[in-house]
Amino acid sequence: MQREEAIAALAAVRDGALSVATMQTVLAWHEAGQAATDHVDNMGCMGTASALGLGLALAQPDRRVMVLDGDGSLLMQLGSLVTIAGAAPPNYYHFVFDNGLYETTGNQPLPARVDFCGLARSAGYRDAVSFDRADALREALPGIFASEGPILVRLAIAREDGPIRWPRVKMADQVVALKERLATQP
Amino acid sequence: MSTTSPGSTGTAAAPAPVARPVEGAVLLREIQQLGITHVITVPDTHQKTLLELLAAAARPRLLTVCTEDEAIAINAGLYIGGQRPMLLIQNNGLLASINALKAIALEARVPTFFLVGQFARDVTRSNAESPVRAVRMVEPTMATWGVPCYPIEGPEDVPAIARAYRQCLEERGPAVALLGAPTS
């Protein structure tokens, strides 16, 4: 499936969930109109989006939290699967965009392909599911969001070769905006 | 330098400690008084007694994680979500987490308060005189990044923990309280 198809499917069911995006999901999430509120990008520190989302999920237990992660990013902090499973936030939904490539540096292959669903289940996630077709993802997402997390959803996406672009938004500004919004509209 | 007095058996006196233990209970009380909601830890040998007390305490919540990078990011999520978290780690872990400190605490301006144990410190020597790089280099490394560092060399320095934490909140950035001796 194409990244934009997966992004559109996630945006369609978001329904007020808090979101964290990183690396190549950042621009796509912004262009889908999902980054204006209730959102923060994990920038300048590849690998920590899942942990940032965990902190949000623990702090805001009544809000669903969606983490839009990358395969290479998750591999950088693979232990976070164990940390997340240990904390077991029921409002945590972990989407891993997997094409086996380090895209921002020029589509070099990962050291190896891994079974992210198997890793998540072994770590102790409540569930882990994989999709390679957008229609199947669209059909399953409402049920996934109706289930308790933490759940990992692996999204098999196609390689992209376009130029790398980033939104002109500072994470520091997003931090302030989201903190203020959560303080006034919990 | 050690000396022997006339008539002594010739046994050299032990060097006086530069850093003295702070009771874990004192640190726990300080943390609770600051209103800390979560202590995020990659466990630290130096702070065993404090960790034991935190594990048994009703508040703050003790959250054990796998890496210090994660701890910094979890701290950010908790802070954004309205909580008052802090980190409890050791010197080696602080040095391992510089990129996360750079991106999240400094560039994204997230208050990030570290209570850091000086693992492998010889308490009879100052940090600067330590032959252990992890001990000797923490303060200069933090200075290089512009991160304030508050040495906690004994019970009289405990009030610096509150100053460091408040500086984090006011300046929206990191600060380190550096615990010189193992907690008692």
Side-chain angles (χ1 to χ4, degrees):
Chain A
M1 112 183 91
Q2 299 299 314
R3 184 195 326 278
E4 282 66 26
E5 293 179 289
I7 290 285
L10 297 180
V13 296
R14 182 180 176 189
D15 191 27
L18 305 176
S19 62
V20 180
T22 193
M23 303 305 284
Q24 286 304 89
T25 67
V26 169
L27 185 66
W29 198 239
H30 279 247
E31 290 187 340
Q34 297 300 310
T37 57
D38 294 331
H39 174 76
V40 63
D41 296 314
N42 183 83
M43 301 294 285
C45 188
M46 186 173 169
T48 51
S50 56
L52 179 50
L54 173 60
L56 269 179
L58 295 173
Q60 295 283 320
D62 296 329
R63 300 285 297 268
R64 286 198 312 264
V65 174
M66 305 167 62
V67 174
L68 279 56
D69 212 348
D71 46 6
S73 293
L74 179 53
L75 288 177
M76 276 200 174
Q77 292 290 337
L78 201 51
S80 69
L81 291 177
V82 178
T83 301
I84 292 159
N91 55 335
Y92 189 93
Y93 301 87
H94 194 172
F95 298 94
V96 180
F97 289 70
D98 179 5
N99 61 4
L101 299 167
Y102 292 112
E103 287 188 78
T104 57
T105 52
N107 279 327
Q108 298 88 357
L110 300 183
R113 299 306 296 269
V114 294
D115 173 8
F116 286 107
C117 290
L119 290 171
R121 286 193 205 98
S122 295
Y125 272 52
R126 205 174 295 273
D127 200 2
V129 287
S130 177
F131 297 94
D132 55 12
R133 291 194 350 260
D135 56 348
L137 174 64
R138 280 192 293 271
E139 189 176 329
L141 276 172
I144 290 168
F145 273 142
S147 305
E148 283 197 352
I151 296 175
L152 184 142
V153 180
R154 181 249 182 187
L155 304 168
I157 59 162
R159 170 185 176 127
E160 292 180 4
D161 289 297
I164 304 301
R165 294 180 297 132
W166 301 99
R168 294 182 182 277
V169 177
K170 287 185 178 175
M171 184 179 169
D173 294 336
Q174 291 178 319
V175 165
V176 171
L178 182 53
K179 182 173 176 60
E180 287 179 359
R181 181 170 169 82
L182 292 174
T184 56
Q185 298 179 333
Chain B
M1 184 173 67
S2 61
T3 59
T4 55
S5 56
S8 74
T9 59
T11 304
V18 176
R20 289 166 296 109
V22 179
E23 288 181 31
V26 170
L27 292 170
L28 175 61
R29 197 159 52 245
E30 189 72 12
I31 289 167
Q32 289 172 331
Q33 285 173 355
L34 290 172
I36 298 293
T37 56
H38 297 74
V39 175
I40 311 158
T41 188
V42 180
D44 171 31
T45 315
H46 239 47
Q47 302 182 71
K48 281 180 193 168
T49 63
L50 175 55
L51 284 166
E52 286 169 8
L53 293 170
L54 283 164
R59 68 177 180 85
R61 177 176 174 180
L62 182 64
L63 188 62
T64 302
V65 306
C66 296
T67 71
E68 291 78 9
D69 299 304
E70 272 184 81
I72 291 171
I74 293 168
N75 177 84
L78 286 164
Y79 166 76
I80 293 167
Q83 304 296 310
R84 292 169 66 90
M86 61 168 277
L87 283 74
L88 189 165
I89 61 174
Q90 67 175 220
N91 48 10
N92 291 308
L94 181 64
L95 296 172
S97 67
I98 295 292
N99 190 50
L101 187 154
K102 175 268 299 177
I104 296 174
L106 289 168
E107 291 176 358
R109 301 198 62 194
V110 173
T112 308
F113 173 57
F114 299 85
L115 185 57
V116 177
Q118 278 284 50
F119 174 66
R121 163 104 181 257
D122 172 355
V123 296
T124 67
R125 305 169 85 162
S126 71
N127 287 324
E129 293 169 331
S130 175
V132 179
R133 281 190 179 83
V135 172
R136 190 173 71 244
M137 295 306 294
V138 165
E139 287 173 288
T141 302
M142 291 301 106
T144 298
W145 286 93
V147 177
C149 219
Y150 292 80
I152 311 295
E153 295 285 82
E156 68 280 5
D157 292 330
V158 168
I161 291 173
R163 287 200 298 277
Y165 180 68
R166 291 195 189 100
Q167 184 172 4
C168 285
L169 294 179
E170 289 166 9
E171 298 182 4
R172 292 200 291 124
V176 173
L178 199 54
L179 205 55
T183 55
S184 61

